[in-house]
Amino acid sequence: MYKKAAAKWLVAALASALVLTACGREEKNGAEGSQGAEITSGPAGTPAGGEDKNTPTGAEGDISGENDKKQAPEVSWEILRDARTDASGKEIAFAEYPEFSLSGDGFEALASALAQINGEWREQSTRFLDSVVQNPVLPDSGAFAQTVNITVTRCDAEAVSLSILRTEEEGGPHPNNYSDVYNFSTQTGERLELSDVVETGGDFRLKLKEQLIENYPDLEFDDALLDQGIADALDQKSLYWSFREGGVSIGFPVGSFGFGYAEGSLGVWIPLQ
């Protein structure tokens, strides 16, 4: 999980949904347990506030080139909600978390991987709520909350890519935002590394460098720090990425390239060949 301050490139691209099936057909059925929470519905990959400048339109990328010969799964999800109350029964905190499901024949490994994610998020939401209850000074109602937004940015016979944006209100003046991205092989259910999709050598690193400079003309990049930051993120696998519209969206950890919290997480979109 990666904390980010102002990752506008990713926040704009994450459109939440209640239930999405077939990775593109939407059903506006109420999310179980949402208790009236307002959640925007939309097709996978559609930005909540309009077009993402780092996401050109076009066909999604194909790892193997044989995508049309294989069956695609159907991924859907619900946003569930749990809460804690004080001795009087007044709610003092709530936490949303996703629950994914899969339909289609022959995707048992992928279904198992999604079930593991479901368990991890249930545990995470419980930890968040328990931390509130254990606080010696109980917060005011609404001061502590966790909300999630979900996007399926790719779902076909070769790969499934899920993006989850988690926002935590913990009583402070500003919320904390975290991004979790899951990229799976549809056929094996294994997590994909960026190096499974693209050659991450010199040419690719140069593309990243050029795109960062183009995306953020108001930032004064130090050339040596930029090269080192890209190398560190790739070699240490500290960046986060997802499939998006014929390419990959890549985000760097906050603090990369010598910048601080104010600049947030810088990101780029790179087309797949």
Side-chain angles (χ1 to χ4, degrees):
M1 298 184 179
Y2 298 90
K3 182 176 179 180
K4 58 186 182 55
K8 296 179 181 178
W9 70 277
L10 184 56
V11 171
L14 292 177
S16 61
L18 299 182
V19 178
L20 183 81
T21 61
C23 304
R25 297 199 308 268
E26 65 171 320
E27 298 180 2
K28 295 182 180 179
N29 300 325
E32 179 182 344
S34 64
Q35 298 187 9
E38 182 179 352
I39 306 174
T40 305
S41 296
T46 303
E51 183 180 358
D52 181 353
K53 70 176 183 178
N54 295 314
T55 307
T57 58
E60 292 186 348
D62 182 359
I63 296 176
S64 71
E66 299 179 353
N67 193 34
D68 57 345
K69 300 179 182 179
K70 299 178 182 178
Q71 180 185 6
E74 295 184 355
V75 174
S76 60
W77 70 87
E78 293 177 299
I79 296 177
L80 305 183
R81 187 183 191 275
D82 195 5
R84 296 290 186 272
T85 59
D86 61 16
S88 68
K90 183 179 72 173
E91 183 176 293
I92 57 174
F94 74 87
E96 294 179 349
Y97 60 94
E99 184 171 273
F100 294 94
S101 59
L102 182 73
S103 60
D105 297 329
F107 303 110
E108 291 79 9
L110 180 58
S112 178
L114 294 178
Q116 181 176 344
I117 291 177
N118 292 340
E120 292 172 353
W121 276 94
R122 282 194 298 270
E123 293 175 0
Q124 184 278 329
S125 65
T126 298
R127 289 195 301 270
F128 173 80
L129 293 172
D130 287 347
S131 69
V132 176
V133 175
Q134 294 165 6
N135 191 327
V137 180
L138 291 178
D140 294 331
S141 177
F144 279 64
Q146 171 179 293
T147 57
V148 295
N149 292 310
I150 300 158
T151 297
V152 177
T153 58
R154 178 170 176 175
C155 181
D156 56 34
E158 298 301 329
V160 170
S161 189
L162 313 172
S163 295
I164 304 174
L165 175 65
R166 171 168 55 98
T167 299
E168 291 186 356
E169 298 276 359
E170 299 180 286
H174 304 290
N176 294 318
N177 295 312
Y178 304 85
S179 293
D180 295 87
V181 182
Y182 303 88
N183 301 293
F184 296 102
S185 164
T186 302
Q187 303 303 317
T188 68
E190 296 179 352
R191 293 284 292 269
L192 294 172
E193 301 287 351
L194 183 59
S195 57
D196 295 326
V197 180
V198 297
E199 293 288 341
T200 58
D203 291 342
F204 183 74
R205 298 180 185 210
L206 180 59
K207 288 181 182 179
L208 291 177
K209 180 178 181 178
E210 293 172 344
Q211 196 62 54
L212 282 165
I213 294 173
E214 179 179 337
N215 281 10
Y216 302 97
D218 294 334
L219 296 182
E220 296 183 2
F221 288 97
D222 178 276
D223 195 65
L225 289 177
L226 184 55
D227 288 337
Q228 188 61 52
I230 292 172
D232 289 345
L234 287 170
D235 295 342
Q236 300 171 13
K237 300 180 181 180
S238 59
L239 51 73
Y240 46 102
W241 68 278
S242 64
F243 292 102
R244 191 174 294 275
E245 298 294 344
V248 288
S249 287
I250 299 172
F252 293 85
V254 173
S256 298
F257 319 121
F259 298 116
Y261 188 83
E263 287 77 16
S265 172
L266 307 186
V268 300
W269 179 89
I270 301 294
L272 291 175
Q273 302 298 326

